[in-house]
Amino acid sequence: MTRTVYVNGEYLPETEAKVSIFDRGFLFADAVYEVTSILDGKLIDFEGHAVRLERSLKELDMASPCSKDELLEIHQKLVELNDINEGLIYLQVSRGSDGDRDFVFPSADTKPTLVLFTQNKPGLADSDASRKGAKVISIEDIRWGRRDIKTVQLLYPSMGKMMAKAAGADDAWMIEDGHVTEGTSNNAYFVKDGTIVTRPLSNDILHGITRKAVLRMAEEAQMKIEERLFTIDEAKEADEAFTTSASAFVMPVVEIDGQQLGDGTPGPIAKRLREIYLEESRAAAI
Ligand code: PMP
């Protein structure tokens, strides 16, 4: 089935959608994005993603393409047009184009480019991958210093996934100055003696929307949380580990750099948090 996508005010078949070759997203990675998951045909934590989008745009001095209400309407319409029950919806906003290539930002009245598209993913919530758990490797974090802004500069995370694949693993956790920053497309956690440990928010990591929700739910479930820097060796010696992201929710990690965690199966805290997250998120979806 041909997808219907959204480009600058129009709903079009994906084969007919176009953006300029001078678009700054293409030429300079001058663009930000969001990914929202869809369960039961509804958006999970749209509000969180909309707020983070506004922040990313503001940090880069980029104009908002439209209001939050309009964005919600576009999301919901695209989910409906593509008949998505479980899947993802991507939103990309670039600084647009003034018809040429120049490092200098185009004039402030240049219209941003707004693109949205869906991915149909039946079985996203009840996935084999989450039942098995993920194997991760560690790699150096050589990304830029504003990882809190959700830009489309995804080349290094993409290379990290390829390094993981080449090593027979599923993903990579990145390390800077001896401490784990985050996964290529998720936030990283380990659990030791019942305490959940994760890196505190700063410019060094993306402020995960799923991270925020999961930490709140863990706190409500009386789990102990420590937000602090941690090493990969600590994580390797942990009882269990997991990642969070809008596209994979809570994903248990069962192996780090070839070292098995616990009995090599998803840990109880990761499994419980996944259940709670899915249940509460479905109930609040719009
Ligand atoms: N860190 C990075 C580098 C990511 O790409 C993502 C996913 N976009 C996350 C963390 C998780 O963020 P969220 O929970 O908002 O999907």
Side-chain angles (χ1 to χ4, degrees):
M1 194 184 92
T2 309
R3 261 181 297 198
T4 299
V5 301
Y6 175 94
V7 184
N8 296 328
E10 287 189 285
Y11 295 87
L12 299 165
E14 63 184 78
T15 46
E16 288 171 31
K18 290 188 183 74
V19 294
S20 166
I21 66 153
F22 295 112
D23 192 277
R24 290 184 59 91
F26 179 56
L27 296 179
F28 295 103
D30 188 358
V32 298
Y33 77 111
E34 281 295 330
V35 192
T36 304
S37 54
I38 305 154
L39 293 176
D40 314 317
K42 292 182 186 165
L43 303 166
I44 303 299
D45 212 340
F46 172 79
E47 178 68 23
H49 291 283
V51 168
R52 185 172 61 189
L53 174 68
E54 275 312 307
R55 181 179 179 277
S56 292
L57 292 168
K58 194 163 157 277
E59 291 298 309
L60 296 174
D61 234 347
M62 214 185 272
S64 277
C66 57
S67 71
K68 199 199 285 181
D69 287 350
E70 285 167 322
L71 268 190
L72 175 59
E73 204 184 307
I74 299 166
H75 274 77
Q76 289 175 326
K77 185 161 175 192
L78 214 52
V79 170
E80 196 189 315
L81 287 173
N82 290 287
D83 198 17
I84 308 288
N85 184 50
E86 285 195 9
L88 302 170
I89 181 160
Y90 283 81
L91 169 157
Q92 317 272 142
V93 189
S94 85
R95 204 182 302 272
S97 153
D98 60 1
D100 205 347
R101 185 185 190 279
D102 192 340
F103 278 85
V104 174
F105 290 176
S107 63
D109 60 357
T110 303
K111 271 201 167 14
T113 300
L114 175 61
V115 169
L116 282 92
F117 60 88
T118 54
Q119 284 184 345
N120 191 26
K121 292 198 181 279
L124 187 67
D126 188 20
S127 71
D128 276 348
S130 70
R131 274 189 293 272
K132 260 177 61 194
K135 295 178 181 178
V136 304
I137 58 164
S138 59
I139 61 172
E140 194 189 343
D141 196 338
I142 59 165
R143 297 173 301 161
W144 80 323
R146 288 303 305 273
R147 303 159 192 156
D148 56 310
I149 308 172
K150 198 166 169 60
T151 74
V152 301
Q153 298 174 58
L154 296 172
L155 180 56
Y156 188 65
S158 188
M159 289 168 73
K161 290 256 195 227
M162 295 309 292
M163 290 183 236
K165 214 174 150 185
D170 304 295
D171 200 2
W173 282 13
M174 294 177 279
I175 299 179
E176 184 174 57
D177 298 332
H179 296 113
V180 175
T181 52
E182 57 190 333
T184 58
S185 59
N186 44 57
N187 291 114
Y189 311 73
F190 72 86
V191 183
K192 185 75 179 174
D193 300 329
T195 299
I196 300 166
V197 178
T198 195
R199 189 179 177 106
L201 296 182
S202 69
N203 290 351
D204 301 334
I205 61 169
L206 187 73
H207 301 188
I209 301 306
T210 321
R211 177 190 186 279
K212 186 173 179 187
V214 166
L215 289 183
R216 176 176 54 77
M217 291 168 196
E219 206 173 303
E220 284 166 7
Q222 318 289 330
M223 294 176 185
K224 238 185 117 214
I225 301 159
E226 268 181 29
E227 290 183 69
R228 63 167 174 85
L229 299 183
F230 64 94
T231 65
I232 197 74
D233 286 339
E234 279 184 277
K236 283 187 206 169
E237 295 305 320
D239 301 322
E240 54 174 299
F242 61 93
T243 60
T244 62
S245 66
S247 55
F249 314 117
V250 178
M251 175 62 67
V253 168
V254 295
E255 193 181 293
I256 301 175
D257 286 335
Q259 189 162 325
Q260 183 180 299
L261 304 188
D263 64 1
T265 64
I269 290 185
K271 281 204 288 198
R272 182 74 194 118
L273 283 174
R274 184 177 176 93
E275 279 168 14
I276 300 173
Y277 178 77
L278 285 171
E279 192 183 318
E280 286 200 27
S281 302
R282 279 184 198 275
I286 55 172

